Amino acid sequence: MSQKVFFRYNQATEQYERVYPDRRQRLIAAWRPYLWAILVVMVLALMLYAVVDSPRERELREANEQLQQRIELLNRRADQALSVMEDIAERDNNFYRVMMQAEPLTPAQRYAGLERQRNFNRLDSLADNRLLANVDLKLDRLDRMLVSQIKSFDYLAAEASGQKDRTAHIPAIQPVPEKYLRTMASGYGVRRDPVYGTMKFHEGMDFSAPIGTPVYATADGTVTTASWQSAYGNMVEINHGYNYTTRYAHMSKIIARPGQAVKRGDLIGLVGNTGKSTGPHLHYEVRYRGAPQNPVNYYYYDLTPEQYDEIIRLAENAGHVMD
């Protein structure tokens, strides 16, 4: 490559004189191509660095993606565990404590001052540190709920062991054993009257069974009524104490006698079709402080969880009242 030559006009001599660069200019001119080459290489290297991952970077990115997936999986598992604990807490408040007549735990007691988190469903948009923080909060909440629930169960166990007499006097079995039942005729709630055709509130449950099927007392107590009671037909009423009474109606035969002390499971009569009845069945009521209760909540002694779920389903769907 030829080197450029520069000239300058000298007015004194009226001639063009060649201009020779100084040392600094010669150095710049000599290094200029190398500097341009270095700059181009640096630009290309930066572009490659931004576009192409190094093996180490790929390894770190894959590890980070795996970590995010594991955190999200842990978050979903924490949600599932919290859902189970919420269900247990609901059962604790609405079943065990109702049966034991104990005051339910307040939210402050159950969650031990831990505020509920409301934005768990937006975790996908959170940074990793916030995602981890939310998972940590859920696990902390789960720990607190477990401790509270354990204390609640300990309390209920102490209540049960200290009040065995009351437990024995709370209705807890079906009056007609499962093996004798034909079907669930009608459950508790608003039903159509089979005789008058009007809608009315059915205060008990109807168990369809053959005439002569044994009927048992569902808890300890004292027989207060054992006689014909108009629409109820042959009826037995038992005062169990602790504000509970039960009624057994339409029986073909009464075996219990007024004033008799009975134990849970004692034979008190036989299924019949007496009084205002359209077929052989037992009409059964549970009353607390005189108010009718849904009997389906009082079969927890002699039914498996599967049988209990089935009888609830039948009671909700059964609409043919027999009395």
Side-chain angles (χ1 to χ4, degrees):
M1 179 177 167
S2 59
Q3 185 177 5
K4 291 182 179 181
V5 178
F6 297 92
F7 291 89
R8 182 176 55 190
Y9 180 73
N10 190 335
Q11 293 182 349
T13 61
E14 296 183 351
Q15 292 182 351
Y16 285 96
E17 299 176 350
R18 185 174 177 177
V19 178
Y20 293 93
D22 57 20
R23 179 180 178 83
R24 177 175 171 275
Q25 291 174 332
R26 289 198 302 272
L27 288 173
I28 292 174
W31 280 98
R32 184 179 290 117
Y34 299 104
L35 293 174
W36 275 108
I38 292 172
L39 180 61
V40 170
V41 170
M42 290 178 63
V43 170
L44 291 174
L46 288 173
M47 292 176 62
L48 288 173
Y49 181 80
V51 175
V52 180
D53 290 340
S54 67
R56 178 59 178 168
E57 287 176 327
R58 285 196 298 271
E59 182 180 343
L60 289 174
R61 181 170 287 122
E62 290 174 358
N64 185 57
E65 290 175 355
Q66 292 176 0
L67 180 60
Q68 279 190 319
Q69 292 174 359
R70 294 181 66 181
I71 293 173
E72 290 170 1
L73 178 61
L74 183 62
N75 178 63
R76 289 195 293 271
R77 291 179 64 185
D79 280 336
Q80 292 171 355
L82 285 171
S83 177
V84 172
M85 282 304 304
E86 292 283 0
D87 183 63
I88 291 174
E90 188 72 15
R91 289 169 181 263
D92 181 66
N93 282 339
N94 294 332
F95 180 71
Y96 298 107
R97 290 181 174 271
V98 169
M99 302 311 300
M100 295 302 300
Q101 300 179 15
E103 288 296 324
L105 291 180
T106 64
Q109 291 172 322
R110 187 170 294 285
Y111 297 102
L114 184 68
E115 294 184 359
R116 292 176 177 266
Q117 303 299 316
R118 298 181 178 178
N119 298 320
F120 290 155
N121 294 329
R122 298 189 299 169
L123 295 179
D124 289 341
S125 62
L126 301 180
D128 287 351
N129 58 338
R130 292 183 64 195
L131 183 62
L132 284 170
N134 275 281
V135 173
D136 184 64
L137 282 174
K138 289 184 180 182
L139 294 177
D140 182 52
R141 178 182 169 196
L142 182 60
D143 286 341
R144 292 171 183 259
M145 291 178 70
L146 283 170
V147 171
S148 297
Q149 195 61 57
I150 289 170
K151 290 180 179 178
S152 176
F153 285 150
D154 288 343
Y155 167 78
L156 292 176
E159 285 287 297
S161 62
Q163 301 181 22
K164 291 181 179 179
D165 183 69
R166 186 175 73 177
T167 303
H169 286 76
I170 295 177
I173 64 173
Q174 288 186 155
V176 179
E178 194 75 15
K179 62 182 180 180
Y180 295 117
L181 291 180
R182 287 176 176 170
T183 183
M184 171 67 63
S186 178
Y188 176 87
V190 177
R191 298 287 188 269
R192 185 175 297 278
D193 190 286
V195 176
Y196 303 112
T198 58
M199 299 301 291
K200 72 167 189 175
F201 192 86
H202 192 235
E203 297 183 339
M205 295 182 72
D206 291 343
F207 294 91
S208 179
I211 292 177
T213 299
V215 177
Y216 300 104
T218 57
D220 296 3
T222 302
V223 177
T224 55
T225 301
S227 62
W228 180 274
Q229 295 293 316
S230 187
Y232 280 104
N234 288 325
M235 187 193 80
V236 170
E237 181 173 276
I238 301 175
N239 183 352
H240 302 282
Y242 301 100
N243 300 309
Y244 280 102
T245 58
T246 54
R247 290 178 180 177
Y248 314 76
H250 310 300
M251 292 190 289
S252 62
K253 182 179 180 180
I254 296 175
I255 296 176
R257 294 291 177 263
Q260 177 183 346
V262 294
K263 296 287 187 182
R264 179 182 289 133
D266 283 354
L267 183 66
I268 59 173
L270 303 177
V271 170
N273 188 25
T274 60
K276 181 174 162 288
S277 173
T278 59
H281 76 289
L282 175 76
H283 174 83
Y284 173 62
E285 295 180 12
V286 176
R287 292 178 175 268
Y288 179 69
R289 293 181 177 173
Q293 308 294 307
N294 191 343
V296 80
N297 294 321
Y298 296 86
Y299 303 144
Y300 53 92
Y301 264 22
D302 61 348
L303 295 180
T304 66
E306 292 77 16
Q307 290 173 325
Y308 185 71
D309 289 340
E310 178 66 10
I311 201 169
I312 289 178
R313 185 187 67 80
L314 292 173
E316 289 177 348
N317 294 330
H320 177 60
V321 179
M322 301 184 71
D323 51 39

